[in-house]
Amino acid sequence: MSKTNIVRQVISVISLNEESALSRISSLFAARGYNIDSLTVAAIPDSKYSRFTIVSHGDSEKLKQIILQLSKLIPVHKVFKSSELLVEKEVVLVKIPLNKELGGLESILRSYHGEVANSGKDYLVLMAADDSSRINEFIESIEIFKPISVVRSGSVAI
């Protein structure tokens, strides 16, 4: 792959909610030598469908071909790519120790749509929801608190 054509692509797939859907979709990427950076799947309420949100990096032309092939897969109903999606968000949970000075924490949380999600006698669990690049920035900014653990979700998009 040429480095000049490498793009990040978010793909939203509406598929029938059946056992083989995940296998078929992930196999399509594997067969073309592409890694899935993140994959989030959930049933769509009150329907027979599921929504897959897939993030991948690759050559723009080959990713276009994957999108075309996804559209032809059974049980896929509809495929949307980044340019057709209105909102993309990720969630991150960060566990920090309470033995650190927490000055500035509230300001950081407010800047990244974050909050304290849970606490214990010796830790806080912080949660932030934002787009992928802002989550990267949040993780960098929270490093001053020496996180014990960081867990990041895949993207969801609509």
Side-chain angles (χ1 to χ4, degrees):
M1 277 188 290
S2 167
K3 292 286 184 197
T4 57
N5 288 350
I6 302 298
V7 295
R8 177 180 184 268
Q9 183 76 61
V10 179
I11 305 164
S12 182
V13 178
I14 307 298
S15 170
L16 283 174
N17 189 4
E18 62 183 38
E19 306 82 31
S20 64
L22 176 59
S23 175
R24 289 180 186 177
I25 289 170
S26 61
S27 293
L28 184 66
F29 279 81
R32 283 152 184 81
Y34 277 91
N35 188 40
I36 294 175
D37 297 332
S38 79
L39 171 66
T40 306
V41 183
I44 298 173
D46 302 320
S47 80
K48 60 183 179 180
Y49 298 103
S50 289
R51 178 184 303 272
F52 292 71
T53 305
I54 304 163
V55 178
S56 187
H57 284 82
D59 177 273
S60 59
E61 289 304 312
K62 288 184 182 177
L63 284 171
K64 283 180 191 176
Q65 288 302 310
I66 287 176
I67 291 168
L68 287 172
Q69 294 299 313
L70 280 169
S71 299
K72 295 176 184 178
L73 268 183
I74 296 172
V76 170
H77 177 66
K78 187 147 177 106
V79 178
F80 303 92
K81 58 185 188 240
S82 298
S83 61
E84 300 167 315
L85 301 171
L86 300 175
V87 178
E88 175 195 354
K89 296 292 181 191
E90 284 190 30
V91 174
V92 65
L93 297 173
V94 180
K95 187 176 186 180
I96 62 171
L98 277 176
N99 62 358
K100 298 287 179 192
E101 171 59 42
L102 300 179
L105 179 61
E106 186 177 335
S107 173
I108 292 171
L109 289 173
R110 197 172 29 254
S111 296
Y112 293 96
H113 309 287
E115 62 184 45
V116 175
N118 204 336
S119 64
K121 67 178 187 165
D122 56 355
Y123 67 88
L124 289 176
V125 176
L126 313 174
M127 179 177 71
D130 215 321
D131 64 51
S132 181
S133 62
R134 298 265 303 149
I135 291 298
N136 289 337
E137 293 169 12
F138 175 76
I139 292 169
E140 285 179 28
S141 68
I142 216 75
E143 283 296 319
I144 61 172
F145 301 106
K146 307 292 185 213
I148 299 165
S149 182
V150 177
V151 179
R152 189 173 181 164
S153 76
S155 290
V156 292
I158 192 165

